[in-house]
Amino acid sequence: MPLNTSPRVRPYETLPSLNVPGIPAVAPMPSGESADTTRVAERFGGDVLAAGMHNGNQVLYVKPEKLVEVAQFLKSDPQLRYESLIDVTGLDRKELPIGAGAARFQSVAQLRSYSRKQHITLVADCAGGDKPSIPSLTAAYQGAEWPERECADLMGISYTGHPDPRRILMPKQWPNHPLQKHIPVGGEEVPFSLTWDDPEFETLGTQILPALSHAPDMPPGMNRENMVINMGPHHPSTHGVLRLVVELDGERVVSIDPDLGYLHSGFEKTGETKRYKDFVYYTDRMDYLSGMNNNLAYVLTVEHMLGVEIPERAQVIRVIMGELQRISSHLFWLSTHVLDVSGTGMSLLMYATRERERILDLFEMVCGARLTVSYIRVGGVWADLPEAFLTHLQDFVRVMPGKIDDYERMLTDQAVWQERLQGIGVLSREQVMEMGLTGPMLRGSGVDWDLRRDMPYSGYENYDFKVPVQTDGDGFARYLVRMEEMRQSLRIISQAIANLPDGIYKTDNRKVSLPPRAELDLSMESLIHHFKLMTEGFHVNPGFYYHGVESSKGELGFYLYSDGSPRPYRLHIHGPSYNNLYAINTMSRGEMLSDIVTNIGSIDIVLGEVDR
Amino acid sequence: MDWLNLVVFPVIRIVVLFVVLLTGFAYLTLLERKLLGRFQVRYGPNRAGKFGLMQPLADAVKALFKEEIIPNHVDKPIYVIAPALALVPALLIWAVIPIASGMPAVADVSIGFLWILAIAGVEGYGIILAGWSSNNNYSLLGALRSSAQMVSYELPMGMFLVSILILAGDFSLVNLVDNARPWWEWIWLWLAFPFFFICILAETNRSPFDLPETENELVAGFQTEYGGMKFALFMMAEYTNMITTSAIMATLFFGGWRGPFAEEIVWLGPIYLLAKIFILLCLFIWVRASVSRPRYDQLMTFCWQFLLPLSIGYMVISALLAVFLK
């Protein structure tokens, strides 16, 4: 029986008449000014269409033809020094009341100054109406390459001057760009490349499998004179369904072409059809090793746009959870990294997993789930900490430093381990900033940057912790950084336990969070709030906002564009794994085949987040 | 012609040896999984039978009944024969190992040392041919690594063997164990044992030197295209090799069948030998559970720049010792 693929209609979510008049609305133009925006506006005059602050972020609207010039100015000007490009994404304004003649697509770039602790958003209209195009930012920042490829693939914006304009997440033969607003969710015909009509299936189950020679699908620039091998998608150490096309000269790596998208599940498109509060559960599934941090990043973005106050207790609980998740994610990284580098017999895999198990047990205590936690919700957390939790947590914090010492004894001073990591996958300070890498990749190469300390959120400014920085930029430096991060996380947790205040764990703003069950029997108002929240969800003021948190793998950022309705108009996820994986080619070139595996481990990717 | 001594007894011995070795292989896999499990704070197989004792049987049944898949792109005759080529040398070496006072396993070959060196030289072929005939990049890389690694590590291993030979003054392994050695010779031998053990690890492709199959990089290396019983044959070769090389090490360094009362009560000899083999096997597994794997080029550098000069030096000093002290 053929599969029913007709588009599903969810009337309660899509019925336009439910919406208040005035929705959808376009985000307001930035107001006020900051030193940076003024400086750019003065320098470029009429080419800067608008400059100022929006939702607490600095925003610049520039003319598309001046985009690259402005970016170069932001990067090179000694008073601005925006060294790194964090993210590039696009916005399809088809369903917004933009008025005739306005450009349908916009390109949105997030720039970061590490030395000055500044963040700026760069917005430019795309020329060309329904076939948008815009100059590529790769001319100013190398790290724009993959974000722009992603945006070109999913949004259909073509970047002129881009060095490698192939699709990256969707299959080559995919007929459309799914993030464009006129593409429906669900019900699309999937152009499979392999069907049952394929002659390869005729001999299925026979003793001798035919292996016909297919013309190899070589990435541009690869030479068949060398040995070209496919690592993945089914390979033991690509950490999921990642495919690397590797060109080898003997065992030396000549070049690598990563092929992504095997796990692409369209989180961004899905997010645009869900109410704000319903997307929290999806975030768990992206980087499934750090669900809490994903929840936190998303929830903070929404909360900032809503402008709700989060109770003190919820903030501290969030910090505890975020740090526990960081330790658990690092433990999993450590165990798999050791497995990749040292072989399956290595016992450290199970030792680290044993300790991670305790963290997962703690998660189970607070929310019943171990991996897909969805514990941190808009307005606070899902439930208060159970009574026994703090005792167990204190015991964990007491035991854990000794365990980390054990791991270090097994690895740090061991000659074989050092030889495998030292000088492998070296990235210089300039390179990591140029490529837009984040997290331990940044700190391993000598950039002293941690969002928790430098752009604090969730009350991180109240904790005393060190940000480990190493200058070598090799695999060993990143290993040391992550080991030290685990210790610092433990320090933060013990401070949080000591300062855990009493009080509510969820905001009592009834426009955002549900009233308690008991209140419903007594108060009509509560009943209305409950009904509105459960059916329609809360409305978010028109506007956009980018917020990044320091996830275990790097900066996890959410870019939200609200049109005033209870669903995000545009939801973009900046996954650290995706941007960090971009470095694999630079890191591995000229090294041995074994070092690719070491480098993948050293980047610490989760394919669920790379492909999203 | 003495049929009884030339044909009947050796055949009986061979059959017994086969049964013991193959059972040993089967339970060695269980031992390894159990021990690794314990090292890694887990249980290891414990579902099939009491303590998982039926696990090897279940594995054998599974391997035998798996679908035989021979891909079209392989060089068929070589592809099929390679697993057997890997297994046979591991069994052959046993012929010369003394199992009790004055008694070799099968035959007292007067050139026991050379026999070991010669068979060890053949050992690489199974793996190299398997990788080559598979017509697969991963297999080929595994095979290339394997050939380079085995050839390289045969050199220091040979040097150590020659040193022992110089000290013993006799090619026969039976005589080596039978003749008493002075105390300084034992100590001098044990000094070399760690290095010899490293060579053996590389020779048998055991972790941490299992670079020909490195599941992290080469998927399964030379055995990527093998499945079912043919794959099991490679496993058999690896584990039988472990037993065999443990027997060689026990014979060369720890007096083989020797032990209290072994000369008076003959049947104690094999038991002592088995006990020594068992301890050495546990050492193999222990190393696997705790030592990181070096990179391929680091392994080769270690061999050529450290182990080979060391073994040559060891040989020279051994010769001097043999001349002046014996």
Side-chain angles (χ1 to χ4, degrees):
Chain A
M1 211 182 85
L3 216 63
N4 179 13
T5 55
S6 58
R8 286 165 306 143
V9 178
R10 305 293 252 324
Y12 76 91
E13 284 177 353
T14 49
L15 219 56
S17 60
L18 266 181
N19 284 341
V20 197
I23 293 176
V26 191
M29 289 313 252
S31 57
E33 59 177 5
S34 73
D36 291 6
T37 54
T38 319
R39 182 164 171 81
V40 178
E42 277 170 6
R43 163 76 169 71
F44 286 92
D47 293 328
V48 174
L49 302 171
M53 307 293 287
H54 178 65
N55 268 337
N57 271 356
Q58 305 179 83
V59 181
L60 283 174
Y61 282 78
V62 294
K63 282 186 177 166
E65 56 272 16
K66 289 284 174 188
L67 179 66
V68 176
E69 219 173 297
V70 171
Q72 272 160 346
F73 176 69
L74 283 167
K75 185 184 180 189
S76 56
D77 187 74
Q79 287 185 36
L80 296 171
R81 298 204 304 274
Y82 284 86
E83 301 106 344
S84 193
L85 179 134
I86 300 294
D87 191 37
V88 180
T89 186
L91 176 70
D92 178 6
R93 304 196 292 169
K94 188 173 192 296
E95 288 169 7
L96 292 177
I98 43 172
R104 176 175 161 189
F105 289 90
Q106 275 184 340
S107 174
V108 184
Q110 314 289 345
L111 307 182
R112 172 72 48 76
S113 167
Y114 290 126
S115 45
R116 296 178 50 244
K117 303 185 182 178
Q118 292 290 335
H119 185 94
I120 199 165
T121 306
L122 205 55
V123 187
D125 287 346
C126 297
D130 288 347
K131 293 216 179 310
S133 77
I134 195 162
S136 167
L137 279 176
T138 45
Y141 298 94
Q142 191 198 349
E145 184 175 338
W146 272 24
E148 285 188 350
R149 263 180 82 181
E150 182 194 335
C151 190
D153 185 2
L154 299 179
M155 190 63 92
I157 300 175
S158 69
Y159 288 90
T160 47
H162 193 280
D164 184 14
R166 288 174 298 156
R167 300 197 85 144
I168 190 164
L169 290 177
M170 305 298 285
K172 260 179 223 143
Q173 67 274 26
W174 198 263
N176 54 41
H177 302 287
L179 279 182
Q180 291 182 346
K181 280 288 173 185
H182 64 278
I183 308 293
V185 185
E188 62 268 74
E189 269 192 29
V190 178
F192 291 111
S193 53
L194 193 64
T195 63
W196 288 105
D197 303 328
D198 199 279
E200 212 162 281
F201 285 108
E202 280 168 19
T203 46
L204 196 72
T206 51
Q207 291 293 299
I208 297 182
L209 286 185
L212 303 174
S213 286
H214 296 282
D217 181 20
M218 299 284 273
M222 281 207 183
N223 188 355
R224 281 222 88 196
E225 302 265 295
N226 293 328
M227 182 190 262
V228 177
I229 64 169
N230 268 313
M231 276 179 91
H234 303 284
H235 189 280
S237 43
T238 49
H239 292 218
V241 277
L242 166 69
R243 175 173 163 240
L244 299 175
V245 184
V246 184
E247 183 184 4
L248 289 176
D249 178 13
E251 284 218 25
R252 294 249 161 237
V253 179
V254 180
S255 68
I256 300 180
D257 183 63
D259 183 8
L260 315 176
Y262 289 91
L263 212 58
H264 178 60
S265 29
F267 278 105
E268 297 184 4
K269 186 77 176 174
T270 312
E272 289 164 18
T273 66
K274 300 285 168 203
R275 288 167 296 177
Y276 282 97
K277 71 186 186 66
D278 291 346
F279 192 69
V280 176
Y281 320 110
Y282 285 83
T283 56
D284 293 330
R285 274 88 178 160
M286 296 184 321
D287 176 356
Y288 37 79
L289 295 178
S290 47
M292 291 287 187
N293 283 324
N294 298 351
N295 291 168
L296 186 62
Y298 173 70
V299 158
L300 282 175
T301 316
V302 177
E303 280 164 359
H304 189 273
M305 292 181 78
L306 282 168
V308 289
E309 276 286 310
I310 305 305
E312 196 65 13
R313 185 175 173 83
Q315 302 260 32
V316 178
I317 294 177
R318 283 176 176 188
V319 167
I320 294 178
M321 292 304 154
E323 294 310 311
L324 277 178
Q325 188 75 76
R326 188 184 320 280
I327 298 174
S328 100
S329 172
H330 279 357
L331 282 176
F332 200 79
W333 158 80
L334 178 69
S335 55
T336 49
H337 193 37
V338 166
L339 182 77
D340 286 347
V341 174
S342 308
T344 39
M346 197 64 179
S347 316
L348 195 64
L349 166 73
M350 293 301 288
Y351 298 161
T353 313
R354 175 184 59 192
E355 268 69 75
R356 178 170 174 266
E357 199 68 10
R358 293 195 62 176
I359 300 179
L360 297 189
D361 286 344
L362 287 170
F363 287 167
E364 200 176 349
M365 281 175 85
V366 295
C367 65
R370 297 159 64 81
L371 212 58
T372 51
V373 281
S374 302
Y375 178 62
I376 298 173
R377 303 284 172 89
V378 177
V381 293
W382 172 68
D384 206 356
L385 298 176
E387 270 175 40
F389 178 79
L390 281 182
T391 342
H392 280 84
L393 181 63
Q394 270 157 346
D395 187 52
F396 174 76
V397 173
R398 186 178 53 82
V399 172
M400 194 58 202
K403 305 280 185 190
I404 300 176
D405 289 342
D406 283 351
Y407 309 149
E408 292 232 46
R409 261 200 294 279
M410 275 183 90
L411 297 174
T412 311
D413 298 327
Q414 298 307 311
V416 181
W417 180 254
Q418 287 182 359
E419 257 186 58
R420 285 303 304 272
L421 293 189
Q422 277 173 351
I424 299 302
V426 180
L427 289 171
S428 71
R429 192 185 144 87
E430 285 68 37
Q431 273 176 319
V432 287
M433 291 198 288
E434 179 70 27
M435 290 196 280
L437 311 182
T438 48
M441 302 284 287
L442 210 55
R443 293 190 280 279
S445 295
V447 183
D448 189 7
W449 175 264
D450 190 314
L451 278 169
R452 291 175 294 169
R453 184 197 60 195
D454 298 317
M455 290 184 173
Y457 51 89
S458 277
Y460 267 111
E461 61 272 20
N462 304 327
Y463 299 91
D464 171 34
F465 63 101
K466 282 198 186 66
V467 176
V469 178
Q470 297 281 333
T471 47
D472 294 343
D474 57 2
F476 197 67
R478 290 186 280 272
Y479 157 79
L480 291 176
V481 164
R482 291 197 176 98
M483 294 307 268
E484 184 56 31
E485 271 183 23
M486 283 199 267
R487 293 180 199 278
Q488 296 300 330
S489 290
L490 286 170
R491 273 184 69 193
I492 297 176
I493 292 174
S494 48
Q495 290 170 41
I497 297 173
N499 300 326
L500 183 65
D502 288 331
I504 48 175
Y505 58 89
K506 197 157 69 164
T507 172
D508 52 3
N509 183 345
R510 294 283 168 253
K511 300 281 181 211
V512 174
S513 84
L514 286 176
R517 176 67 187 80
E519 230 175 74
L520 295 190
D521 300 336
L522 303 170
S523 153
M524 186 67 201
E525 207 187 350
S526 291
L527 201 60
I528 294 169
H529 283 315
H530 189 280
F531 178 75
K532 286 288 274 184
L533 280 174
M534 291 310 272
T535 51
E536 195 185 9
F538 47 78
H539 291 256
V540 174
N541 294 332
F544 57 88
Y545 185 55
Y546 172 89
H547 190 279
V549 305
E550 192 70 39
S551 178
S552 49
K553 296 175 178 60
E555 174 172 347
L556 174 68
F558 277 84
Y559 168 78
L560 280 177
Y561 190 102
S562 167
D563 58 354
S565 71
R567 285 175 290 125
Y569 182 76
R570 172 86 173 95
L571 186 155
H572 173 69
I573 306 151
H574 164 81
S577 297
Y578 178 79
N579 287 55
N580 288 351
L581 186 61
Y582 173 60
I584 185 75
N585 190 12
T586 318
M587 286 164 82
S588 307
R589 215 174 266 187
E591 292 175 354
M592 308 278 288
L593 178 64
S594 313
D595 297 331
I596 300 180
V597 174
T598 315
N599 287 338
I600 294 177
S602 178
I603 295 174
D604 190 15
I605 52 167
V606 162
L607 263 293
E609 190 181 69
V610 171
D611 292 345
R612 298 187 303 286
Chain B
M1 198 169 153
D2 186 1
W3 282 96
L4 208 58
N5 274 335
L6 279 181
V7 177
V8 177
F9 281 152
V11 166
I12 292 173
R13 282 179 180 182
I14 288 171
V15 170
V16 170
L17 193 65
F18 247 73
V19 172
V20 169
L21 272 182
L22 293 188
T23 321
F25 142 73
Y27 279 91
L28 177 56
T29 59
L30 181 67
L31 174 75
E32 169 159 47
R33 290 162 74 178
K34 277 285 193 192
L35 268 186
L36 271 185
R38 290 295 164 182
F39 282 127
Q40 301 176 354
V41 289
R42 51 189 178 86
Y43 290 106
N46 61 358
R47 297 288 105 180
K50 194 89 179 142
F51 309 121
L53 281 175
M54 301 295 275
Q55 188 69 39
L57 203 68
D59 287 342
V61 171
K62 188 192 87 169
L64 278 172
F65 284 93
K66 274 226 165 161
E67 187 184 1
E68 279 295 304
I69 293 175
I70 303 176
N72 226 2
H73 56 87
V74 301
D75 190 340
K76 229 173 123 191
I78 302 177
Y79 175 82
V80 174
I81 211 166
L85 266 181
L87 177 61
V88 169
L91 296 169
L92 278 183
I93 289 186
W94 263 94
V96 295
I97 307 242
I99 53 168
S101 176
M103 196 196 293
V106 176
D108 182 8
V109 185
S110 55
I111 49 160
F113 274 102
L114 290 186
W115 177 262
I116 291 179
L117 276 174
I119 302 290
V122 181
E123 246 164 31
Y125 277 101
I127 290 171
I128 296 163
L129 289 178
W132 178 255
S133 67
S134 290
N135 192 6
N136 170 319
N137 285 344
Y138 284 114
S139 306
L140 185 63
L141 280 173
L144 287 175
R145 285 181 179 191
S146 154
S147 48
Q149 175 181 330
M150 285 175 126
V151 167
S152 310
Y153 274 84
E154 246 158 51
L155 285 170
M157 192 185 83
M159 290 296 170
F160 284 121
L161 277 178
V162 167
S163 317
I164 300 169
L165 175 69
I166 291 171
L167 287 170
D170 193 339
F171 272 107
S172 164
L173 286 177
V174 176
N175 292 347
L176 175 82
V177 181
D178 279 350
N179 298 341
R181 298 187 205 180
W183 62 270
W184 56 265
E185 196 183 325
W186 283 114
I187 292 171
W188 179 241
L189 275 180
W190 289 338
L191 279 181
F193 175 71
F195 304 105
F196 191 77
F197 185 67
I198 291 174
C199 297
I200 289 287
L201 281 177
E203 268 297 293
T204 50
N205 294 329
R206 279 289 301 178
S207 181
F209 299 151
D210 51 348
L211 295 159
E213 54 170 295
T214 41
E215 66 290 332
N216 318 328
E217 299 142 31
L218 302 182
V219 188
F222 61 92
Q223 40 189 312
T224 308
E225 295 282 10
Y226 285 88
M229 201 54 209
K230 293 193 291 298
F231 178 76
L233 277 177
F234 277 119
M235 283 318 224
M236 260 175 157
E238 183 183 334
Y239 284 84
T240 316
N241 244 327
M242 271 167 75
I243 304 178
T244 310
T245 46
S246 300
I248 294 174
M249 285 187 290
T251 309
L252 295 178
F253 291 96
F254 303 105
W257 51 264
R258 277 183 177 276
F261 312 112
E263 280 173 66
E264 294 85 51
I265 309 164
V266 176
W267 55 266
L268 273 180
I271 292 177
Y272 284 133
L273 182 63
L274 278 179
K276 287 170 185 171
I277 291 176
F278 179 79
I279 293 169
L280 284 169
L281 286 174
C282 291
L283 187 61
F284 267 105
I285 297 165
W286 191 11
V287 165
R288 181 173 176 191
S290 45
V291 180
S292 295
R293 174 192 291 151
R295 214 171 51 210
Y296 167 66
D297 56 328
Q298 292 165 349
L299 183 73
M300 300 302 281
T301 318
F302 179 71
C303 176
W304 290 100
Q305 295 188 0
F306 177 71
L307 219 46
L308 187 63
L310 184 89
S311 61
I312 292 174
Y314 185 81
M315 188 183 70
V316 170
I317 297 174
S318 301
L320 292 175
L321 286 175
V323 170
F324 292 113
L325 289 176
K326 271 203 154 176

